[in-house]
Amino acid sequence: MIDATVDLVIFDCDGVLVDTETIGPAVVAALAGEAGWPLTPDEVRARFLGRPEAYLYEQVRAHATVPVGPEWLLTYRERVSEAFAAAPHTMPGVTGLLDALDARGLPYCVGSSGSHARIRHSLTHAGLWPRFAGRIFSADDVAHGKPAPDLFLHAARTLGAEPARCLVIEDSPAGVDAALAAGMPVIGYTGGPTEPAALAHASHGVIAALHELATP
């Protein structure tokens, strides 16, 4: 499904490579509740899936009923790291897909809204860090995270690929929006909790299993 017009595959991390989207929202919901903003994990996913940490922090501060300072983000990162470390694993089909891309000599990278520390933590505990080291791009690297196109354009520019010849694999509406704004083909992935309808605007369709991408 990845044809010869693609020179670079850009993967989101959480929920595409690593199965974190069932863990992270529960942590955020608990922390938001402690700050006086009751949210369910489903509400967290709806509001923040694919968004950078800075946006999450701003929203919690705006809705909290108790003072929320920079230490909230530190606590958030610590609790998320602990939760991910306790149950890390890749999304189904990741290893086979990466093997297929390697066999074709097709470059790939990560373009994630997470911080560099969080991305490294997730990939390391899932056993994927060696496959992406040196090709990881974070919202930390740009002025505006998803749904702005900055992150994906930065990844393409750094790796010498034309935006139109990149293929983005995303599980969030914000990520799909960012890819479209960057002029990049994008496939929506629904192997996690995201409903297909939320990704229906992906230019190159929606898939439920990564192995669908492993054949040309």
Side-chain angles (χ1 to χ4, degrees), residues 119-138:
I119 297 168
R120 179 164 189 153
H121 186 276
S122 296
L123 293 179
T124 297
H125 282 277
L128 294 176
W129 176 257
R131 306 194 75 152
F132 287 94
R135 291 172 287 114
I136 293 172
F137 303 92
S138 160

Side-chain angles (χ1 to χ4, degrees), residues 91-164:
M91 297 299 288
V94 167
T95 300
L97 174 56
L98 297 182
D99 288 344
L101 296 180
D102 286 339
R104 291 173 56 183
L106 183 56
Y108 50 84
C109 68
V110 166
S112 170
S113 291
S115 65
H116 275 289
R118 174 173 169 179
I119 297 168
R120 179 164 189 153
H121 186 276
S122 296
L123 293 179
T124 297
H125 282 277
L128 294 176
W129 176 257
R131 306 194 75 152
F132 287 94
R135 291 172 287 114
I136 293 172
F137 303 92
S138 160
D140 289 348
D141 302 329
V142 294
H144 304 287
K146 304 172 188 177
D150 304 32
L151 175 58
F152 291 144
L153 292 174
H154 171 58
R157 184 168 53 249
T158 302
L159 296 178
E162 292 294 325

Side-chain angles (χ1 to χ4, degrees), residues 29 43 45 62 69 73 100-101 112 138 156 183 193 212 214:
E43 289 171 333
R45 275 188 286 269
L73 259 184
L101 296 180
S112 170
S138 160
E212 297 178 43

Side-chain angles (χ1 to χ4, degrees), residues 13-20 89-95 189 191-193 210:
C13 182
D14 294 331
V16 174
L17 296 173
V18 184
D19 187 7
T20 54
H89 58 277
T90 63
M91 297 299 288
V94 167
T95 300
Y189 173 60
L210 291 174

Side-chain angles (χ1 to χ4, degrees), residues 92-93 189-191 207-213:
Y189 173 60
T190 60
I207 60 169
L210 291 174
H211 69 76
E212 297 178 43
L213 300 175

